[in-house]
Amino acid sequence: MARAWFERDAPVVAADLLGKLLVVERDGLVVSGRIVETEAYTADDPASHSFRGRTARNAVMFGPAGHLYVYLSYGIHRCANVVTGPEGDGQAVLLRALDPVAGVDTMRRRRGRVPIADGPGKLCQALGIDLGDDGVDVTGGAVRIVDDGTPPPAAPRSGPRVGITVAVDRPWRFRTPA
DNA sequence: CATACGATTGACT
DNA sequence: GTCAATCGTATGA
């Protein structure tokens, strides 16, 4: 995807990401999956890491769109986001779940025989995304988001975000219907 | 400097 | 359904 595609507002990109492929190429292994669940976060959103301004951790969120924002969650898991919107805005889309497409055997090995990625932590584990990937460009390169021609669902399911207790009036969780 | 807590997951009752 | 794991970060003294 081109940079401009990511420069739109987070809720728009979040819905449009459904159906796209997330590809991770590393150590000669290619692993990919189709994105089926996302969540949008903006700077005026109390639930967003960017809400209280730029810090060392969320610096990438305030950088140019189309880059990966990876952080450690609960001291154990990693969560991957794609930065969206104008540079300096602090918007991002959390990649919550995807359906395995390629490299299923690799995903199975990383995930302990279960090649599913139905949660942000599991997704990163299956694809091998870690904190070293914070800030990488996903418009091309080892970690990238590509369009294989599959259109986003016409009627994505949306609702309140998971694990969020504030701003529940923003239905910014998007999911591909089963 | 001290401390409370989280955009989660998996194991256990 | 309940709960511990585990540590970087944000926040306050």
Side-chain angles (χ1 to χ4, degrees), chain A residues 150-164:
Chain A
T150 303
R157 169 187 166 183
S158 69
R161 292 165 295 182
V162 175
I164 296 293

Side-chain angles (χ1 to χ4, degrees), chain A residues 25-162:
Chain A
E25 201 170 343
R26 146 175 312 158
D27 301 324
L29 298 170
V30 178
V31 181
S32 69
R34 192 173 306 284
I35 298 168
V36 296
E37 186 175 348
T38 61
E39 285 179 1
Y41 290 87
T42 60
D44 67 341
D45 167 11
S48 174
H49 286 174
S50 58
F51 182 65
R52 290 167 185 82
R54 177 181 181 137
T55 66
R57 175 177 61 152
N58 65 26
V60 175
M61 283 185 80
F62 291 88
H67 288 252
L68 210 58
Y69 166 48
V70 184
Y71 70 93
L72 187 66
S73 174
Y74 290 91
I76 307 171
H77 308 286
R78 304 151 205 2
C79 292
N81 305 252
V82 180
V83 178
T84 73
E87 180 169 355
D89 240 39
Q91 302 185 31
V93 173
L94 171 67
L95 304 177
R96 282 197 65 87
L98 52 74
D99 286 335
V101 172
V104 177
D105 51 328
T106 300
M107 294 178 67
R108 198 189 312 276
R109 174 166 46 75
R110 288 177 179 150
R111 290 233 57 240
R113 309 201 75 73
V114 190
I116 54 176
D118 60 344
K122 302 174 190 177
L123 183 153
C124 286
Q125 188 183 8
L127 294 186
I129 294 174
D130 62 14
L131 297 180
D133 294 308
D134 189 39
V136 303
D137 191 341
V138 297
T139 62
V143 181
R144 56 189 182 274
I145 292 176
V146 302
D147 185 353
D148 71 342
T150 303
R157 169 187 166 183
S158 69
R161 292 165 295 182
V162 175

